[in-house]
Amino acid sequence: MVDALVTVIVVLACIGAVCALAAARVIKQYERGVVFRLGRLRQDIRGPGFTMIAPVIDRLTKVNMQIVTMPVPSQEGITRDNVTVRVDAVVYFKVVDPAEAVVQVEDYRFAVSQMAQTSLRSIIGKSDLDDLLSNREKLNQGLELMIDSPAVGWGVHIDRVEIKDVSLPETMKRSMARQAEADRERRARVINADAELQASKKLAEAAAQMAESPSALQLRLLQTVMAVAAEKNSTLVLPIPVELLRFLERGPSEAAARTDGGAPERDIPERDITEREALTERPSRPPMPTITECEPERERETRAR
């Protein structure tokens, strides 16, 4: 009798141990437990740590509360300005209501992924190419709102959406490269023209200043000579003012006029003087015979023949 009682106690202890092991659950710090009793949702959400459920009649579902990083596959679309692009993005989201994430949607990860893809295609169609390349912050905010609106009912909060890369066709890349090159060349020409304008103004001011003091021009000439001589060149270039050459040309003509006893012909231009000298120095030629003078000679020739 005692042996039978001990056997029953041992069997009950084993069954109790097995039931305790079946009912024991451990929930991690970043997880929450959703309990279904006979298919009905229990309102109490199990927190992290050790918890017990009723075996057979309860079912515990663990929901990860961490921020999930989900890459969005590349989506190809046509922008508003008719450019074919391929855009890929990344979505950061987390579960804020474990019960809604389990009850309202079959697989919240797959649902967020599909919603992100469709929203990305919609954003591509509504945006221009320049917005996709330069105004990404605004597009990220719009994409986040488009995904977050239906995800609120799933117990999911969209934390952040980022567009990673925008792939362009090769022809568009070449066109943009030519456009950028032309823009840089335009800016370079404008800068050069501005520099020439400023330099011309400064040179005009310097010329006006030198005109007031002729010695400044001579000093500038000597500085130029020194700068050229410092290069250790075998040839020295010496600039000569044009006024000096004109003075040297005018000197011999005035000296000749003074030796003749007359006043220098200052009123007569130099061109008229050179033409007059050329006419006086040209040797005289015999006059050409007229037509009447040539006729007797022709008659004599015909008679001789």
Side-chain angles (χ1 to χ4, degrees), residues 34-226:
V34 179
V35 179
F36 291 89
R37 178 164 293 177
L38 297 177
R40 185 180 293 275
L41 177 67
R42 297 293 301 270
Q43 296 300 325
D44 56 332
I45 304 298
R46 306 296 175 89
F50 180 80
T51 185
M52 297 289 291
I53 62 173
V56 181
I57 62 174
D58 287 350
R59 184 172 61 88
L60 179 67
T61 302
K62 297 178 181 180
V63 180
N64 192 340
M65 303 295 291
Q66 291 178 316
I67 295 177
V68 180
T69 304
M70 177 179 292
V72 182
S74 299
Q75 301 297 316
E76 185 174 357
I78 300 176
T79 60
R80 191 166 57 181
D81 50 355
N82 298 325
V83 179
T84 303
V85 295
R86 183 181 292 273
V87 182
D88 55 353
V90 59
V91 180
Y92 302 90
F93 68 94
K94 63 180 179 180
V95 178
V96 294
D97 191 346
E100 295 292 334
V102 175
V103 175
Q104 296 298 329
V105 64
E106 181 181 2
D107 187 353
Y108 65 89
R109 291 175 178 265
F110 181 74
V112 171
S113 176
Q114 295 299 315
M115 180 58 64
Q117 295 181 30
T118 55
S119 300
L120 184 58
R121 283 180 175 270
S122 179
I123 285 292
I124 293 173
K126 294 179 182 179
S127 305
D128 295 331
L129 180 61
D130 294 337
D131 294 335
L132 289 175
L133 296 177
S134 60
N135 196 10
R136 292 190 180 182
E137 291 295 332
K138 184 178 180 180
L139 296 180
N140 293 337
Q141 294 177 1
L143 189 59
E144 180 180 347
L145 291 175
M146 293 180 66
I147 302 174
D148 191 49
S149 298
V152 172
W154 304 337
V156 177
H157 172 68
I158 305 300
D159 188 68
R160 191 176 183 85
V161 181
E162 293 287 343
I163 295 176
K164 291 198 303 182
D165 188 22
V166 179
S167 300
L168 300 176
E170 294 297 330
T171 55
M172 182 58 63
K173 290 181 180 180
R174 290 194 293 268
S175 300
M176 294 178 66
R178 289 195 298 268
Q179 180 183 359
E181 184 178 358
D183 187 27
R184 290 182 179 275
E185 185 176 358
R186 179 184 63 83
R187 285 186 291 176
R189 291 183 178 180
V190 170
I191 292 173
N192 289 334
D194 192 10
E196 291 292 337
L197 178 61
Q198 295 179 6
S200 62
K201 291 181 179 179
K202 295 298 181 181
L203 289 174
E205 294 177 1
Q209 188 69 25
M210 289 183 179
E212 296 178 359
S213 58
S215 59
L217 183 60
Q218 299 295 330
L219 293 175
R220 182 59 182 167
L221 178 61
L222 294 176
Q223 291 179 358
T224 305
V225 173
M226 291 177 62

Side-chain angles (χ1 to χ4, degrees), residues 246-260 262-266 268 270 273-274 277:
R246 292 177 180 175
F247 176 76
L248 295 176
E249 291 178 356
R250 199 181 302 118
S253 61
E254 293 179 356
R258 290 175 181 175
T259 53
D260 294 340
E265 299 177 355
R266 296 181 180 178
I268 302 175
E270 297 180 359
I273 296 173
T274 54
E277 292 177 355

